[in-house]
Amino acid sequence: MCRPRPPAALRVPFLARLRVGRKLMLLVLLPVTGMMAFTAFGAVSQWHDAQTLRDFRTATELSFRTTALTDALARERIAAVKARLRPGPATLGERTGAQHATDGALHAALLDTAGWTGPPDVQGRFDARSRQLRALRLQTGTGSLTAPQLAAQYDTIEHDLLELAATLESGRPTRTSGQAADAHIALLNAIEAAERERTELAVLFAAPGAPHPTATDRWSALEKALLDDFGQTAPAGLRGRLYVVLLQHPGLVVRKTRETLADPHAERNAWPTYAGWLTASSRRIDALRVIQHRAAAELGRDATRDLDTARSRETRDLSVSLAVLAAVTVLALALRLSITRPLSEVSAGARALSEGDLSYDIRYAGRDELGAVADTFRELRITTERLAAEISTMNAAIDDNRLGHRADVVAFQGTWAQLLGGMNGTMASFAAAHGRRDKAEQELASIFHLSLDLLCIAGLDGYFKRVNPAFERTLGHSAETLLGRPWLEFVHPEDRARTRAVLDRLASGVELGEFENRLLRDDGTERWLQWSARPVAGEGLIYAAARDVTESRRAAREQTALRRVATLVARGVPPREVFSEVADQVGKVLSSGSAAVLRYGADGTATVLGSARGPTAETDTAATAQEVALTTRPARVGRSVGAPIVVDDRLWGAVVATAAGPEPLPPGTESRLADFTELVATALANADSRDQLSASRARVVAAGDASRRRIEHDLHDGVQQRIVSLQLDLRTAQSMLDEQPEELAEQLDHIAKGLDDAFTDLLQVARGIHPAILSKGGLGPALRALARRSAVPVELDLRLPPGRLPEQTEVAVYYVTSESFTNAAKHARASFVQVTARAGDDVLEVTIADDGVGGADLGHGSGLIGLVDRVEAIGGKLRVESPPGEGTTLTVRLPLPRTES
């Protein structure tokens, strides 16, 4: 195939006659020349910028020296004013030290001005201020100036130095350094305003009798304005530090002082003292100076950073420009050799590509390489057009679902024929995959319709696009209803906000798992569904699967309620609390209108012991209770369901629940009530056992006390009286013998002494059985008598009511105390016992503590066990704390009858 040539009459432009190498060199020389000129101009400009930055940095260093001088001069000013107001060794010494510090700062500033050649005559202004300062010091030494005049002289010098600092920092070559300089100068002037305020108010407070100032707030107003300027230009860290300083204690004192002076009605006794004002103001100014030093450091860093950046940029730009120039020159020479030769080869290769022969040996000889490339791509375009037509035809066949169409491979050669053959194979594979997809879609549709889980496809517009039959069965709505309304309308109103938030997350591309909400059936009942969903943002769809967990949640809620009631039963709470809790939990579990625990009387009437009420049908409830009483089995009447409570094979009562709405309670409610009735029966059995145990214990204690009283009565009326009678008879017999033999007299005396001892012992035994002082005097005198007879020293702290306590309470406390004294002496080897008694409105608390060996245990020894029985028999509690080696403490709490007010 021959290469087409351009027509002979076509005129070739001049540049088209040049070889590509010459064109490339011309193309490179023009920008290289411009780049060289631009580089030279940029270097001069950058040098000038760097010189400006160097001058600004030098000016800032001189400004910092000036600032240090102003700080020292401000301290000298306040020291001179203080020495003038209240002269003394301390203030005069402070003034001398401040003057030395100012001289040092001035000397350092003069040394730094040696190399300065800028427009402000810094050295001359320093010399002038130095002479002015020496003259002022001479006047200060003579005492010819008052404190305000002295401060005014210093103010003039300070003002000139601050203007010099502002002039030095006015260069501001960059925005960053300009802001830092503005912040620094604003803070310097604010500190100077605070210094002048401190001096002026120090004069005012040093002379309390002076008239009230009329313009004391001018410095505070100036300071506030300057601090506001500082806040607008300073970095965030310095602004935050400034706010902290203003809100600290010295700053608050200064603010309060300003407010007091600004109030024309403020009393003079509200003014701060001279020393207090100086201390607070000095601390506040020192804190501001710390911020000023940081601002100066920030300005210095900005100036240095700008200068370093300019220098590095100048060096970098020059180096880059030179490197680019060298690289462009080298690259131009290399391109001249590397482009011209391959260009002819590429044109030949393009022709071979148009013929489909990739093994063609690239050769070409022509007037212009670009012309050859153009000829080659003309032929390539023709071939590409034919190939595009075949591809377009195949795409149309795919769109029309004509999957049997195949491209005409015979009309092409080489690689193009192979390409079309591959496309035909792809079409065949696509046809096979399409058949498999149709089959998979049919299988998926079968699974979609047969699944017991709820499957759906929803759109991000809030409507269902497709639902399976399980959806219709669970919710009771038809598919048309579900697809025709926004699906949030089927969500329970209380769950719509949570569901809308989940939809927002799905819309953002987040997958969802195990989210639960309630949907409403067509009959108004609610069903709990657990969802898993995956969004497809590109299609605007959400694929979701749900599971009905209503029954599992209901079972879990029922088990929770049963556990709560069982816990109350196990703890032994009073039955009335169990009844109330059972009714409440039954109402919640069954979602009924009312629930009640009933007890049947002997006459068949039912009494409500615990209830959880709402809107109920009393007729159905009464009828259900009557039916349970007659059959002793679960019963259902109307909207009410009841289950019997059986204790010891005897019908005790019933639990009745009534539906809130017109619909009856669901089937199976009877068996669910039976679980609660079993717990009620258990609670009643436990309560009965506890009551019987308490009654038995009380009877034992009462019988013991009655036996003690009977023994005491028998001893007093029987044996004790007989011993007294025998003593009288013996004394009578001794008096009837005029002359008694010595042995007989001794024998009679011995018998008389024995009778006396027996009488004393018998009297002590009778008192120990039931002390007479307890019966006559009450608990307080009885405990004091026990303390007097105790072998261990006893300290009593008794706070008992003026009247008598119940007899059982007094006897129990008496015996507990007596047993504790005995244990402390015999077993604990204690050296001290303390008894504390406190009586409240409804409880008596007695504490008995000793310092013995401890180790007492309720599980060993009948004495402590008997005390526990006696205390608990009357409804009390006894607690023993007896760590080994740390003594023993018994605490008794006994109930008292409430007194009527």
Side-chain angles (χ1 to χ4, degrees):
M1 184 180 294
C2 297
R3 178 178 63 86
R5 295 182 177 275
L10 183 64
R11 183 177 180 182
V12 180
F14 172 76
L15 293 177
R17 297 177 181 274
L18 297 177
R19 305 294 295 176
V20 174
R22 294 188 180 90
K23 294 179 181 179
L24 182 62
M25 293 304 297
L26 290 174
L27 185 64
V28 169
L29 289 176
L30 292 176
V32 165
T33 304
M35 186 177 296
M36 293 179 62
F38 180 80
T39 300
F41 177 80
V44 173
S45 176
Q46 290 177 356
W47 178 85
H48 182 268
D49 293 341
Q51 183 63 35
T52 302
L53 291 171
R54 281 192 293 270
D55 294 341
F56 179 73
R57 188 182 65 176
T58 304
T60 56
E61 291 174 354
L62 287 177
S63 173
F64 296 158
R65 285 296 185 185
T66 306
T67 302
L69 178 59
T70 60
D71 291 347
L73 188 62
R75 293 185 176 90
E76 181 180 342
R77 173 176 57 192
I78 190 62
V81 171
K82 288 165 63 177
R84 183 68 181 86
L85 292 173
R86 296 186 178 181
T91 56
L92 293 177
E94 181 182 357
R95 184 183 68 185
T96 302
Q99 290 176 352
H100 290 321
T102 304
D103 292 337
L106 181 60
H107 179 69
L110 286 172
L111 290 178
D112 286 345
T113 59
W116 175 253
T117 58
D121 186 8
V122 179
Q123 186 172 10
R125 295 180 72 167
F126 279 163
D127 290 336
R129 301 291 80 76
S130 176
R131 292 191 298 272
Q132 187 177 0
L133 183 60
R134 286 196 296 270
L136 178 58
R137 288 176 179 174
L138 292 176
Q139 290 180 305
T140 302
T142 61
S144 60
L145 296 177
T146 63
Q149 293 173 344
L150 186 63
Q153 293 290 334
Y154 275 104
D155 292 346
T156 302
I157 302 175
E158 187 80 9
H159 179 71
D160 183 79
L161 292 176
L162 289 175
E163 284 188 348
L164 177 59
T167 302
L168 290 172
E169 294 182 14
S170 62
R172 306 177 184 182
T174 65
R175 183 175 182 272
T176 302
S177 59
Q179 289 181 345
D182 290 339
H184 182 233
I185 294 301
L187 190 56
L188 280 177
N189 291 324
I191 294 173
E192 174 58 16
E195 290 277 6
R196 294 190 181 187
E197 179 189 38
R198 176 173 61 168
T199 304
E200 184 174 332
L201 293 185
V203 175
L204 175 63
F205 296 148
H212 191 288
T214 59
T216 54
D217 59 342
R218 63 185 185 280
W219 299 119
S220 61
L222 177 59
E223 177 194 341
K224 181 180 183 305
L226 293 170
L227 289 179
D228 290 342
D229 294 341
F230 172 79
Q232 294 176 0
T233 55
L238 295 181
R239 291 199 302 270
R241 181 62 184 169
L242 175 62
Y243 297 148
V244 171
V245 168
L246 296 178
L247 294 176
Q248 286 177 343
H249 178 68
L252 296 177
V253 172
V254 170
R255 181 185 297 178
K256 183 177 180 181
T257 301
R258 292 171 176 174
E259 294 174 354
T260 302
L261 293 177
D263 185 5
H265 304 290
E267 299 294 337
R268 287 201 176 255
N269 54 12
W271 290 12
T273 62
Y274 169 80
W277 163 252
L278 286 178
T279 300
S281 180
S282 299
R283 291 179 179 177
R284 180 175 178 273
I285 291 174
D286 291 340
L288 291 176
R289 289 193 186 281
V290 171
I291 301 176
Q292 177 258 317
H293 293 158
R294 293 183 179 180
E298 189 75 17
L299 175 59
R301 284 193 296 269
D302 290 341
T304 303
R305 183 169 58 251
D306 292 341
L307 179 58
D308 294 341
T309 302
R311 288 175 174 173
S312 61
R313 184 172 60 250
E314 178 181 1
T315 303
R316 183 187 66 246
D317 292 348
L318 182 59
S319 301
V320 169
S321 299
L322 294 176
V324 169
L325 289 175
V328 168
T329 303
V330 173
L331 182 61
L333 295 175
L335 287 176
R336 186 176 183 277
L337 297 176
S338 63
I339 292 179
T340 55
R341 292 177 182 175
L343 188 59
S344 60
E345 302 290 330
V346 169
S347 64
R351 175 171 297 190
L353 180 63
S354 67
E355 298 174 351
D357 184 9
L358 298 179
S359 63
Y360 180 81
D361 187 13
I362 302 176
R363 296 176 180 178
Y364 179 72
R367 296 173 58 190
D368 182 47
E369 295 84 351
L370 294 178
V373 171
D375 293 340
T376 302
F377 277 96
R378 288 191 190 98
E379 297 179 0
L380 180 62
R381 183 184 62 189
I382 297 173
T383 305
T384 304
E385 287 176 352
R386 292 171 56 205
L387 183 63
E390 289 292 339
I391 294 175
S392 177
T393 303
M394 184 166 288
N395 289 335
I398 293 174
D399 293 338
D400 297 338
N401 202 21
R402 293 182 288 106
L403 301 182
H405 175 77
R406 298 294 183 268
D408 185 10
V409 181
V410 180
F412 292 87
Q413 300 177 0
T415 304
W416 307 124
Q418 296 177 7
L419 177 61
L420 290 178
M423 292 180 64
N424 288 337
T426 302
M427 176 69 85
S429 300
F430 182 76
H434 185 74
R436 291 193 298 270
R437 187 189 67 178
D438 289 341
K439 182 179 180 180
E441 287 180 352
Q442 294 174 2
E443 294 175 351
L444 181 60
S446 299
I447 296 174
F448 186 82
H449 286 86
L450 295 176
S451 174
L452 297 178
D453 288 335
L454 286 73
L455 305 178
C456 69
I457 302 174
L460 295 178
D461 57 356
Y463 285 85
F464 286 119
K465 305 303 180 183
R466 187 177 180 185
V467 295
N468 69 339
F471 237 105
E472 302 178 50
R473 291 193 301 270
T474 302
L475 298 182
H477 298 286
S478 64
E480 292 75 10
T481 302
L482 292 172
L483 300 178
R485 292 161 53 187
W487 72 276
L488 273 177
E489 293 184 6
F490 302 102
V491 178
H492 194 283
E494 296 180 1
D495 294 346
R496 288 178 182 172
R498 293 191 306 112
T499 305
R500 189 173 290 106
V502 169
L503 287 176
D504 293 339
R505 293 181 57 196
L506 287 170
S508 64
V510 179
E511 292 189 9
L512 175 68
E514 298 186 358
F515 168 74
E516 294 184 4
N517 64 353
R518 290 170 289 177
L519 268 68
L520 299 176
R521 287 178 50 85
D522 59 344
D523 57 2
T525 59
E526 60 186 44
R527 305 296 294 179
W528 279 94
L529 300 184
Q530 186 181 71
W531 295 86
S532 296
R534 172 179 294 177
V536 181
E539 300 178 4
L541 297 177
I542 300 173
Y543 294 87
R547 179 176 300 170
D548 189 353
V549 295
T550 305
E551 296 302 326
S552 61
R553 287 180 63 92
R554 180 181 298 167
R557 184 172 59 179
E558 185 172 336
Q559 291 300 317
T560 301
L562 290 173
R563 282 197 299 272
R564 179 174 178 83
V565 175
T567 301
L568 295 179
V569 173
R571 285 167 47 193
V573 300
R576 63 179 181 276
E577 295 185 21
V578 176
F579 300 152
S580 299
E581 186 63 26
V582 166
D584 184 56
Q585 294 299 329
V586 166
K588 291 179 179 178
V589 168
L590 301 181
S591 299
S592 60
S594 67
V597 178
L598 309 177
R599 180 174 185 178
Y600 296 121
D603 56 354
T605 60
T607 304
V608 178
L609 301 182
S611 64
R613 290 199 171 273
T616 63
E618 298 291 342
T619 303
D620 292 347
T621 302
T624 303
Q626 184 177 2
E627 182 68 20
V628 172
L630 292 175
T631 62
T632 66
R633 293 181 179 180
R636 177 188 293 263
V637 177
R639 296 186 291 117
S640 295
V641 176
I645 300 173
V646 179
V647 180
D648 294 334
D649 298 329
R650 180 177 56 87
L651 180 62
W652 184 91
V655 176
V656 180
T658 305
E663 297 296 328
L665 292 172
T669 303
E670 293 85 344
S671 62
R672 297 165 71 184
L673 284 179
D675 295 332
F676 289 95
T677 59
E678 291 177 3
L679 291 175
V680 174
T682 303
L684 291 172
N686 292 344
D688 184 62
S689 299
R690 288 194 298 272
D691 293 341
Q692 293 178 8
L693 177 60
S694 299
S696 175
R697 182 180 289 173
R699 288 194 297 273
V700 170
V701 173
D705 291 341
S707 298
R708 290 174 183 271
R709 292 189 184 93
R710 186 172 60 253
I711 294 172
E712 177 189 9
H713 183 269
D714 293 342
L715 288 175
H716 182 271
D717 295 342
V719 179
Q720 186 175 347
Q721 297 299 326
R722 291 178 63 189
I723 291 177
V724 171
S725 177
L726 289 174
Q727 285 179 322
L728 294 176
D729 292 343
L730 181 59
R731 298 302 180 189
T732 303
Q734 285 179 332
S735 64
M736 292 173 63
L737 295 177
D738 294 335
E739 293 181 2
Q740 304 175 3
E742 183 177 353
E743 294 180 356
L744 179 60
E746 290 179 357
Q747 185 67 25
L748 292 174
D749 289 339
H750 179 70
I751 293 172
K753 186 176 182 304
L755 289 173
D756 291 339
D757 293 340
F759 180 77
T760 302
D761 292 341
L762 183 61
L763 183 62
Q764 293 296 328
V765 171
R767 290 176 176 175
I769 292 174
H770 192 79
I773 191 171
L774 181 62
S775 300
K776 297 178 181 180
L779 183 59
L783 294 181
R784 295 187 184 92
L786 276 178
R788 289 193 295 271
R789 296 199 304 269
S790 174
V792 180
V794 177
E795 178 181 337
L796 297 176
D797 183 8
L798 306 179
R799 300 182 185 179
L800 301 173
R804 293 295 297 273
L805 298 174
E807 180 182 1
Q808 291 180 337
T809 302
E810 292 185 341
V811 172
V813 174
Y814 180 85
Y815 281 118
V816 169
T817 307
S818 177
E819 183 71 18
S820 298
F821 289 172
T822 302
N823 291 337
K826 291 183 178 181
H827 306 296
R829 300 190 294 277
S831 61
F832 176 77
V833 178
Q834 183 178 16
V835 180
T836 303
R838 299 286 187 272
D841 293 338
D842 56 358
V843 68
L844 171 65
E845 183 172 324
V846 180
T847 304
I848 307 166
D850 64 53
D851 60 350
V853 297
D857 188 2
L858 283 173
H860 299 82
S862 59
L864 288 177
I865 295 175
L867 295 180
V868 172
D869 290 340
R870 177 175 289 277
V871 170
E872 293 185 354
I874 59 175
K877 294 291 183 182
L878 186 144
R879 187 176 72 253
V880 178
E881 298 178 1
S882 185
E886 299 183 12
T888 301
T889 301
L890 272 73
T891 303
V892 180
R893 291 178 61 86
L894 296 170
L896 295 177
R898 291 183 177 271
T899 58
E900 297 295 336
S901 57

